[in-house]
Amino acid sequence: MDSKEFIARRIAKELKDGDVVNLGIGLPTMVANYIPEGVNVTLQSENGFVGLGPAPEPGKENKDIVNAGGQPVTIQKGAAFFDSATSFGIIRGGHVDVTVLGALEVDEHGNLANYMIPGKMVPGMGGAMDLVSGAKKVIIAMTHTAKGEPKILKKCTLPLTAKGKVSLIVTELAVIEVTSHGLVLKEIAPGVSVVDVLKATDAHLIVADDLKTIEI
């Protein structure tokens, strides 16, 4: 499997029965395809509905039912549609248990930069600022590096989306928890060594005493 699927599958294991979950644009939307059997979560889309299902089978897409990124999605039994004001009332009101977002940079203080690179055209912040502030748990889904350069830094260099809000980082190399003591390396991918992860990371990592191999 490719790295994005690997990341999405591992994040899906973080979701608990009964969670209300918001999946950000891009890689995070893939998590909907891998929710474990027997785990019932309510997926919320910031463009105005709850009850998203996995991606539709090819040829069965409905152009009028899309997620916040414009991708076709399926709808689960009991889904509800509403306006943006209600959608962001859910987010800002603290009713989202988990949000999964992509990132350009994350640092060892749990700061997140994921909406712009100065000098480049970008669509805007979207709902990310609201999601990281309103959700109880913020999981970052991203590749560990970009063009060989670390994305997990001592300090973010890009404009911040939020300060100190990231709970967990999942990459194709590792699962890293953000704690009050710093970043704790909890799991590493099969075939990957601790040295590999440290070399690909700018931030200081605390290696957990009970370090595990990622299982998906």
Side-chain angles (χ1 to χ4, degrees):
M1 76 182 69
D2 64 20
S3 60
K4 289 183 178 181
E5 180 181 338
F6 182 83
I7 294 166
R9 284 182 178 274
R10 175 58 186 83
I11 290 174
K13 295 182 66 176
E14 290 292 314
L15 306 183
K16 305 293 189 292
D17 207 51
D19 279 348
V20 175
V21 181
N22 181 287
L23 302 177
I25 294 170
L27 194 166
T29 62
M30 296 175 63
V31 174
N33 300 327
Y34 306 113
I35 295 171
E37 189 174 349
V39 176
N40 296 304
V41 302
T42 299
L43 297 179
Q44 187 254 358
S45 186
E46 65 204 65
N47 57 323
F49 57 105
V50 291
L52 281 81
E57 296 177 15
K60 294 187 177 181
E61 300 89 348
N62 184 329
K63 64 181 179 62
D64 295 319
I65 302 178
V66 297
N67 61 23
Q71 299 167 311
V73 292
T74 55
I75 296 298
Q76 305 280 48
K77 185 178 180 180
F81 297 83
F82 34 78
D83 60 19
S84 288
T86 301
S87 184
F88 277 86
I90 292 170
I91 294 168
R92 295 170 182 169
H95 305 294
V96 174
D97 296 297
V98 181
T99 185
V100 183
L101 298 169
L104 296 168
E105 295 177 347
V106 182
D107 69 25
E108 56 191 40
H109 305 290
N111 298 329
L112 168 67
N114 79 337
Y115 80 101
M116 74 170 296
I117 299 174
K120 292 193 175 183
M121 290 289 291
V122 292
M125 186 173 289
M129 180 183 286
D130 300 278
L131 285 164
V132 293
S133 298
K136 298 180 180 74
K137 183 175 184 178
V138 177
I139 301 175
I140 298 303
M142 67 178 191
T143 54
H144 209 94
T145 61
K147 298 180 180 178
E149 295 298 319
K151 296 170 68 175
I152 304 173
L153 309 175
K154 291 183 175 67
K155 184 176 180 180
C156 289
T157 62
L158 296 172
L160 295 183
T161 306
K163 294 184 69 174
K165 294 294 186 178
V166 175
S167 311
L168 193 72
I169 306 164
V170 180
T171 76
E172 77 281 16
L173 300 183
V175 176
I176 298 168
E177 183 180 5
V178 182
T179 75
S180 58
H181 303 293
L183 300 182
V184 179
L185 179 60
K186 303 285 287 187
E187 302 175 24
I188 55 176
V192 172
S193 70
V194 171
V195 172
D196 293 332
V197 177
L198 295 178
K199 283 182 178 179
T201 309
D202 175 64
H204 174 69
L205 295 180
I206 303 164
V207 181
D209 292 335
D210 60 344
L211 181 69
K212 299 178 176 64
T213 299
I214 296 174
E215 296 180 1
I216 54 172

